[in-house]
Amino acid sequence: MKLNEIDQEVAEALNHELSREQTGLEMIPSENFVSEAVLEALGSIGTNKYSEGYPGARYYGGCEWVDVIENLARDRAKALFGVTHANVQPASGCAANIATMFALLEPGDTLMGMNLFYGGHMTHGLPVNFSGRYYKSIQYTSTKDGTMDFGQMMSLALEHKPKLVIVGATAYPRIIDWQKAREVADAVGAFLMADVAHVAGLIVSGDHPSPVGIADVITTTTHKTLRGPRGAMILCNGNPSTPLKKVEVTRENIPTLIDRAIIPGIQGGPHNHQTAAIAVALKEAAQPDFKEYGHQIVKNAKTLAAVLTRQGFELVTGGTDNHLMVVNLTNKNVSGKQVEHALGLAGITVNKNTVPFEPRTPFDPSGIRLGTPALTTRGMKEAEMETIGGWIDEAIVNWSDEAKLASIKTAVKEMTSRFPLYVGLKY
Ligand SMILES: *Cc1c(COP(=O)(O)O)cnc(C)c1O
């Protein structure tokens, strides 16, 4: 039986979500729209199979075809990023990061990462997260203008001697200098983990430098700029050793340590439908037009940043080099929460965000975070960014005027109808 015959409630909610995605402007920088091929693989019978272990070394029978799928995903990941080892099993970005810490650290060891409220991720040592609770967490921040503070990073490292340095961000609009982070890690003999969740697609397109050859371990989600299904990968160099031998925590052993951290460390059965969809997404990302896609994401972000700056908005670090920007709304006398709500009524989806040295609270912060990956997937270019920048300004100036916001929503709907998404799809 089809979904809409067996469960109309779920089908109806999915149809509403589909229509929300089709008729609105999706500007949350961590979101994207996967291709129909990726969707098809994700909705496949791969979900039925248990296959704990790795290709050629499973704890279950009947794995010959999921081995093919996982090998395709692993080989494509290795070729695309230029590494010799890829683990494609982490269920999500958080799981990839937890596995890396589980692989390299003992409980109580010291790690150092960027503070969430300055653009880092909660898995980089936020006290209420696993990473801040089970390890001693040292947090670096940014300089007054919002750029990553490598000076502070170095002095904190020398003082606290972390065993793991984490670099990477979730709300950071500038190029990250992986080499500077390497110098900090080397100064204290620490491992360096680069979390490229947000910029993975831009690394593939050459719009952001790659940490390959610099970081010891690279973690990434597959569903952000990389435009794959929800999922993650851990990339490194070296080769895993044969199972069951005890391995020391050394640089050479990282591939083995990572594989064992995923299973039996923190996960059970791989999500084979997800792995199949990751394989498809990696094939798509290896095509020449993906490079164009990455370049356009950045062009769009720079255009939008210029439009907003012209309208008197203050951007953290003064602009963007990548796919996102953080707008500090303090000079507009409105909060991030109010703006998130107002833009939502105007059909523009964004998320509220803290700004460096946040004077308010994370639940009602001073900023919003805006990104262009999803709009770029729809085919929007600089001209649309000009128009959208104008609507964002209009919506923020009139944040409490619901009639005005509804009229912007009508215009948004008209624009999105010119950039079709999932034509003919229905649940
Ligand atoms: C999104 C993100 C993650 C977590 O990914 P989930 O799939 O949401 O668990 C980890 N690190 C960074 C830097 C991210 O941006």
Side-chain angles (χ1 to χ4, degrees), residues 187-260:
V188 294
F191 291 112
L192 179 65
M193 169 182 134
D195 179 348
V196 304
H198 261 264
V199 294
L202 301 182
I203 289 172
V204 170
S205 66
D207 292 282
H208 193 291
S210 167
V212 171
I214 300 172
D216 299 300
V217 185
I218 297 163
T219 61
T220 183
T221 56
T222 46
H223 50 276
K224 297 179 184 174
T225 52
L226 198 52
R227 207 163 61 181
R230 199 157 287 284
M233 307 191 289
I234 307 176
L235 310 170
C236 53
N237 275 313
N239 288 300
S241 69
T242 44
L244 303 176
K245 209 176 85 211
K246 171 144 176 59
V247 291
E248 302 297 322
V249 179
T250 63
R251 202 152 271 142
E252 297 68 46
N253 287 334
I254 285 176
T256 315
L257 294 164
I258 292 293
D259 282 2
R260 292 186 192 180

Side-chain angles (χ1 to χ4, degrees), residues 17-83:
E17 169 59 14
L18 173 62
S19 142
R20 190 194 67 80
E21 293 183 15
Q22 288 167 327
T23 59
L25 291 172
E26 185 50 75
M27 299 192 72
I28 294 174
S30 48
E31 294 187 15
N32 214 327
F33 300 117
V34 299
S35 70
E36 286 171 27
V38 167
L39 265 191
E40 197 178 333
L42 192 63
S44 70
I45 45 75
T47 191
N48 295 333
K49 186 75 195 97
Y50 247 110
S51 56
E52 284 181 11
Y54 293 98
R58 305 282 192 183
Y59 294 94
Y60 287 81
C63 291
E64 54 273 29
W65 294 108
V66 295
D67 276 7
V68 171
I69 291 167
E70 189 168 339
N71 277 329
L72 283 168
R74 293 207 291 192
D75 291 345
R76 288 172 184 173
K78 287 191 264 180
L80 196 60
F81 288 91
V83 291

Side-chain angles (χ1 to χ4, degrees), residues 173-422:
R174 294 297 180 180
I175 299 285
I176 296 175
D177 188 338
W178 309 117
Q179 194 57 50
K180 283 220 175 99
R182 178 79 259 176
E183 284 160 23
V184 171
D186 282 348
V188 294
F191 291 112
L192 179 65
M193 169 182 134
D195 179 348
V196 304
H198 261 264
V199 294
L202 301 182
I203 289 172
V204 170
S205 66
D207 292 282
H208 193 291
S210 167
V212 171
I214 300 172
D216 299 300
V217 185
I218 297 163
T219 61
T220 183
T221 56
T222 46
H223 50 276
K224 297 179 184 174
T225 52
L226 198 52
R227 207 163 61 181
R230 199 157 287 284
M233 307 191 289
I234 307 176
L235 310 170
C236 53
N237 275 313
N239 288 300
S241 69
T242 44
L244 303 176
K245 209 176 85 211
K246 171 144 176 59
V247 291
E248 302 297 322
V249 179
T250 63
R251 202 152 271 142
E252 297 68 46
N253 287 334
I254 285 176
T256 315
L257 294 164
I258 292 293
D259 282 2
R260 292 186 192 180
I262 287 291
I263 170 158
I266 69 156
Q267 289 191 174
H271 298 189
N272 293 303
H273 55 305
Q274 186 182 40
T275 307
I278 288 173
V280 175
L282 292 171
K283 179 166 184 166
E284 291 174 350
Q287 307 307 312
D289 63 358
F290 193 87
K291 288 209 164 51
E292 281 311 308
Y293 169 60
H295 302 337
Q296 192 64 48
I297 289 176
V298 177
K299 283 192 230 165
N300 284 352
K302 284 184 183 291
T303 304
L304 185 64
V307 174
L308 294 176
T309 304
R310 214 162 61 214
Q311 284 152 344
F313 286 96
E314 195 193 305
L315 304 194
V316 171
T317 77
T320 179
D321 296 328
N322 59 19
H323 62 300
L324 70 79
M325 62 212 74
V326 179
V327 184
N328 186 339
L329 298 159
T330 308
N331 67 345
K332 298 280 179 178
N333 295 314
V334 60
S335 80
K337 190 174 166 185
Q338 286 163 328
V339 166
E340 176 187 292
H341 181 71
L343 288 174
L345 293 177
I348 302 172
T349 311
V350 305
N351 67 285
K352 59 180 182 285
N353 215 93
T354 53
V355 299
F357 308 95
E358 178 62 61
R360 301 172 62 96
T361 70
F363 301 103
D364 190 10
S366 306
I368 51 165
R369 190 179 66 145
L370 294 170
T372 55
L375 298 185
T376 308
T377 293
R378 294 192 77 155
M380 294 181 186
K381 295 206 161 72
E382 289 89 332
E384 285 74 34
M385 298 305 124
E386 293 275 348
T387 310
I388 292 166
W391 287 336
I392 290 173
D393 181 40
E394 210 180 326
I396 292 175
V397 171
N398 298 287
W399 67 272
S400 58
D401 179 347
E402 295 200 3
K404 185 85 206 163
L405 298 170
S407 80
I408 298 172
K409 186 171 183 167
T410 306
V412 162
K413 205 165 167 179
E414 191 284 318
M415 178 191 274
T416 57
S417 72
R418 289 188 282 116
F419 297 90
L421 183 70
Y422 303 129

Side-chain angles (χ1 to χ4, degrees), residues 139-150:
Q139 300 267 276
Y140 57 91
T141 60
S142 55
T143 58
K144 275 274 167 288
D145 72 346
T147 53
M148 215 171 256
D149 190 345
F150 288 101

